[in-house]
mmCIF file of all heavy atoms in Angstrom:
data_model
loop_
_atom_site.group_PDB
_atom_site.id
_atom_site.type_symbol
_atom_site.label_atom_id
_atom_site.label_comp_id
_atom_site.label_asym_id
_atom_site.label_seq_id
_atom_site.Cartn_x
_atom_site.Cartn_y
_atom_site.Cartn_z
ATOM 1 N N GLU A 499 -10.629 -36.662 21.552
ATOM 2 C CA GLU A 499 -11.403 -35.619 20.808
ATOM 3 C C GLU A 499 -11.115 -35.559 19.459
ATOM 4 O O GLU A 499 -9.896 -35.670 19.046
ATOM 5 C CB GLU A 499 -11.111 -34.246 21.466
ATOM 6 C CG GLU A 499 -11.795 -33.066 20.853
ATOM 7 C CD GLU A 499 -11.391 -31.694 21.467
ATOM 8 O OE1 GLU A 499 -10.646 -31.820 22.487
ATOM 9 O OE2 GLU A 499 -11.833 -30.684 21.006
ATOM 10 N N THR A 500 -12.065 -35.539 18.585
ATOM 11 C CA THR A 500 -11.823 -35.481 17.208
ATOM 12 C C THR A 500 -12.078 -34.088 16.590
ATOM 13 O O THR A 500 -12.755 -33.318 17.121
ATOM 14 C CB THR A 500 -12.710 -36.447 16.397
ATOM 15 O OG1 THR A 500 -14.172 -36.090 16.751
ATOM 16 C CG2 THR A 500 -12.530 -37.903 16.931
ATOM 17 N N GLY A 501 -11.389 -33.864 15.443
ATOM 18 C CA GLY A 501 -11.588 -32.541 14.840
ATOM 19 C C GLY A 501 -10.472 -32.331 13.739
ATOM 20 O O GLY A 501 -9.538 -33.266 13.705
ATOM 21 N N LYS A 502 -10.507 -31.303 13.000
ATOM 22 C CA LYS A 502 -9.595 -31.018 11.897
ATOM 23 C C LYS A 502 -8.170 -30.767 12.563
ATOM 24 O O LYS A 502 -8.141 -30.004 13.410
ATOM 25 C CB LYS A 502 -10.091 -29.847 11.079
ATOM 26 C CG LYS A 502 -9.162 -29.621 9.894
ATOM 27 C CD LYS A 502 -9.732 -28.467 9.013
ATOM 28 C CE LYS A 502 -8.863 -28.250 7.788
ATOM 29 N NZ LYS A 502 -9.357 -27.135 6.891
ATOM 30 N N GLY A 503 -7.128 -31.566 12.026
ATOM 31 C CA GLY A 503 -5.819 -31.253 12.488
ATOM 32 C C GLY A 503 -5.459 -32.076 13.720
ATOM 33 O O GLY A 503 -4.310 -32.083 14.180
ATOM 34 N N LEU A 504 -6.504 -32.728 14.402
ATOM 35 C CA LEU A 504 -6.123 -33.536 15.637
ATOM 36 C C LEU A 504 -5.785 -34.958 15.368
ATOM 37 O O LEU A 504 -6.130 -35.434 14.177
ATOM 38 C CB LEU A 504 -7.240 -33.421 16.547
ATOM 39 C CG LEU A 504 -7.817 -32.075 16.999
ATOM 40 C CD1 LEU A 504 -9.128 -32.274 17.911
ATOM 41 C CD2 LEU A 504 -6.750 -31.453 17.829
ATOM 42 N N ASN A 505 -5.075 -35.524 16.285
ATOM 43 C CA ASN A 505 -4.736 -36.942 16.142
ATOM 44 C C ASN A 505 -3.991 -37.300 14.904
ATOM 45 O O ASN A 505 -4.263 -38.333 14.273
ATOM 46 C CB ASN A 505 -5.939 -37.865 16.283
ATOM 47 C CG ASN A 505 -6.850 -37.474 17.515
ATOM 48 O OD1 ASN A 505 -6.286 -37.249 18.628
ATOM 49 N ND2 ASN A 505 -8.113 -37.360 17.303
ATOM 50 N N GLN A 506 -2.885 -36.621 14.707
ATOM 51 C CA GLN A 506 -2.136 -36.802 13.416
ATOM 52 C C GLN A 506 -1.066 -37.973 13.757
ATOM 53 O O GLN A 506 -0.662 -38.081 14.769
ATOM 54 C CB GLN A 506 -1.349 -35.563 13.076
ATOM 55 C CG GLN A 506 -2.214 -34.403 12.698
ATOM 56 C CD GLN A 506 -2.890 -34.629 11.342
ATOM 57 O OE1 GLN A 506 -2.291 -35.070 10.414
ATOM 58 N NE2 GLN A 506 -4.156 -34.292 11.264
ATOM 59 N N ILE A 507 -0.825 -38.713 12.655
ATOM 60 C CA ILE A 507 0.130 -39.796 12.756
ATOM 61 C C ILE A 507 1.597 -39.115 12.725
ATOM 62 O O ILE A 507 1.808 -38.386 11.792
ATOM 63 C CB ILE A 507 -0.070 -40.869 11.746
ATOM 64 C CG1 ILE A 507 -1.474 -41.429 11.729
ATOM 65 C CG2 ILE A 507 0.967 -41.967 11.838
ATOM 66 C CD1 ILE A 507 -1.853 -42.197 12.949
ATOM 67 N N GLY A 508 2.404 -39.426 13.682
ATOM 68 C CA GLY A 508 3.765 -38.849 13.638
ATOM 69 C C GLY A 508 4.701 -39.866 13.898
ATOM 70 O O GLY A 508 4.680 -41.180 13.746
ATOM 71 N N THR A 509 5.958 -39.413 14.300
ATOM 72 C CA THR A 509 7.064 -40.298 14.609
ATOM 73 C C THR A 509 7.847 -39.693 15.782
ATOM 74 O O THR A 509 7.696 -38.538 16.041
ATOM 75 C CB THR A 509 8.009 -40.573 13.347
ATOM 76 O OG1 THR A 509 8.986 -41.561 13.711
ATOM 77 C CG2 THR A 509 8.666 -39.233 12.930
ATOM 78 N N LEU A 510 8.739 -40.571 16.282
ATOM 79 C CA LEU A 510 9.644 -39.973 17.422
ATOM 80 C C LEU A 510 10.592 -39.058 16.807
ATOM 81 O O LEU A 510 11.180 -39.279 15.722
ATOM 82 C CB LEU A 510 10.238 -41.235 18.144
ATOM 83 C CG LEU A 510 9.276 -42.149 18.798
ATOM 84 C CD1 LEU A 510 10.081 -43.270 19.557
ATOM 85 C CD2 LEU A 510 8.416 -41.482 19.880
#
Side-chain angles (χ1 to χ4, degrees):
E499 181 183 355
T500 58
K502 186 176 181 180
L504 299 178
N505 307 319
Q506 297 291 315
I507 305 295
T509 187
L510 297 180

